[in-house]
């Protein structure tokens, strides 16, 4: 479930990145790469788990599924927070700088 | 248990490599490129350091999100020894076993996907340059 949610987040962010390309002011590409990296790593984890559990991997208990879904959503939220921090620190549109400095006429 | 440490270590190495490559890179030469198959425009090829940053971002981002998962499952704690498996030798052996299998496989898969991205970008670059040269010659 965590893998599935992260893959969907990766696909969605890639679509948004492609739609806005070549403009990359909001650095959505960073978010997409982050989610893809995590998705690939969880895919490896899933393969190892499948090798251990067999078909049982695809029929998790309800409690595990809810916990994994909750984790997946938290991971997506954390990715968004990290991305937002990068955008605010890099401040490509100069919005933060404009807030910190008052223009003199 | 601590599988994310392997891609994280690779990310640290590739970040250093990126900085070195960035310093050694020369200014890109403008070339005629076709973006939509017909009209050509002057453009510069993105440097290799930029492509290395794709790998860095996948490794760093992935490791960070995986580290969070380990915190979630209580495998990483905010006090010494930080990894719960490191507190006794039996668990530590299991942790190193997991790092050498799952961790290495994670780092290898991300690197392999990046290598495919490099090959595909090279193919796209070559095709755009070829059409650009052809169109420029016809003009």
């Amino acid at each position: 479930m965590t893998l599935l949610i992260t893959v969907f987040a990766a696909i969605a962010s890639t679509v948004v990145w492609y739609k806005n390309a070549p403009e990359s002011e909001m650095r959505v590409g960073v978010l997409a790469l982050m989610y893809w990296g995590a998705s690939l790593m969880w895919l490896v984890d899933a393969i190892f788990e499948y090798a251990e559990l067999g078909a049982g991997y695809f029929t998790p208990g309800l409690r595990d599924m809810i916990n994994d879904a909750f984790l997946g959503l938290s991971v997506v939220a954390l990715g968004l927070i990290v991305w937002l921090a990068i955008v605010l620190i890099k401040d490509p549109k100069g919005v933060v700088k404009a807030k910190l400095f008052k223009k003199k006429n | 248990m601590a599988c994310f440490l392997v891609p994280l270590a690779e990310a640290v190495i590739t970040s250093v490599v990126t900085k070195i490559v960035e310093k050694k890179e020369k200014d890109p030469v403008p070339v005629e490129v076709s973006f939509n198959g017909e009209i050509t425009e002057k453009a510069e090829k993105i440097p290799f350091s930029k492509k290395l940053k794709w790998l860095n971002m996948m490794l760093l981002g992935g490791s960070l999100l995986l580290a969070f998962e380990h915190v979630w499952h209580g495998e990483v704690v905010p006090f010494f020894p930080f990894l719960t498996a490191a507190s006794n030798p039996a668990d530590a052996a299991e942790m190193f076993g997991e790092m050498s299998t799952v961790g290495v496989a994670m780092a290898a898969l991300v690197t392999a996907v990046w290598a495919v991205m490099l090959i595909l970008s090279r193919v796209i670059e070559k095709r755009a340059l070829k059409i650009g040269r052809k169109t420029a010659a016809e003009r």
Side-chain angles (χ1 to χ4, degrees):
Chain A
M1 202 66 165
T2 312
L3 168 65
L4 205 59
I5 291 171
T6 317
V7 167
F8 278 122
I11 292 169
S13 50
T14 307
V15 169
V16 173
W17 165 78
Y18 189 84
K19 205 166 180 288
N20 295 314
E23 297 296 320
S24 59
E25 258 187 351
M26 292 303 287
R27 294 173 182 266
V28 184
V30 169
L31 185 67
L33 285 172
M34 209 156 62
Y35 284 147
W36 279 120
S39 299
L40 290 170
M41 290 179 195
W42 268 309
L43 175 67
V44 171
D45 210 29
I47 291 167
F48 274 89
E49 222 171 305
Y50 175 73
E52 202 181 300
L53 302 174
Y57 173 76
F58 298 108
T59 50
L62 183 67
R63 196 186 157 92
D64 286 343
M65 216 154 72
I66 292 169
N67 186 38
D68 275 356
F70 195 27
L71 171 62
L73 291 173
S74 305
V75 162
V76 172
L78 178 66
L80 287 168
I81 290 167
V82 172
W83 166 73
L84 202 60
I86 293 170
V87 170
L88 291 176
I89 291 166
K90 299 266 181 183
D91 193 20
K93 291 180 120 181
V95 176
V96 178
K97 279 179 217 109
K99 281 278 168 202
L100 294 172
F101 293 96
K102 212 172 182 178
K103 278 184 188 170
K104 270 194 168 182
N105 292 323
Chain B
M1 284 182 164
C3 47
F4 69 94
L5 289 178
V6 181
L8 185 64
E10 189 189 341
V12 171
I13 296 165
T14 56
S15 297
V16 174
V17 172
T18 306
K19 289 281 169 206
I20 296 167
V21 171
E22 243 173 357
K23 277 186 183 169
K24 287 187 177 174
E25 265 167 354
K26 292 168 188 164
D27 288 334
V29 183
V31 284
E32 287 274 348
V33 180
S34 168
F35 290 106
N36 58 2
E38 287 172 9
I39 305 157
T40 60
E41 286 172 59
K42 283 256 182 229
E44 287 170 351
K45 262 186 7 180
I46 60 161
F48 183 66
S49 60
K50 179 109 181 170
K51 291 176 182 175
L52 262 171
K53 281 179 186 169
W54 301 343
L55 177 62
N56 291 346
M57 204 32 83
M58 282 201 288
L59 288 169
L60 276 174
S63 304
L64 173 80
L65 297 181
L66 241 77
F68 175 72
E69 186 224 331
H70 286 72
V71 173
W72 184 279
H73 289 133
E75 291 164 350
V76 174
V77 285
F79 45 82
F80 191 79
F82 305 108
L83 300 164
T84 43
S87 50
N88 73 73
D91 285 348
E94 198 186 328
M95 179 183 77
F96 286 123
E98 200 190 272
M99 280 168 74
S100 61
T101 51
V102 184
V104 170
M106 283 173 175
L109 180 67
V110 173
T111 312
V113 168
W114 173 72
V116 172
M117 284 165 71
L118 280 189
I119 294 166
L120 285 176
S121 66
R122 187 87 188 111
V123 171
I124 294 166
E125 279 169 4
K126 270 191 172 178
R127 204 166 48 191
L129 283 171
K130 198 178 165 187
I131 298 168
R133 270 196 295 267
K134 205 176 153 188
T135 317
E138 282 169 4
R139 264 195 274 141

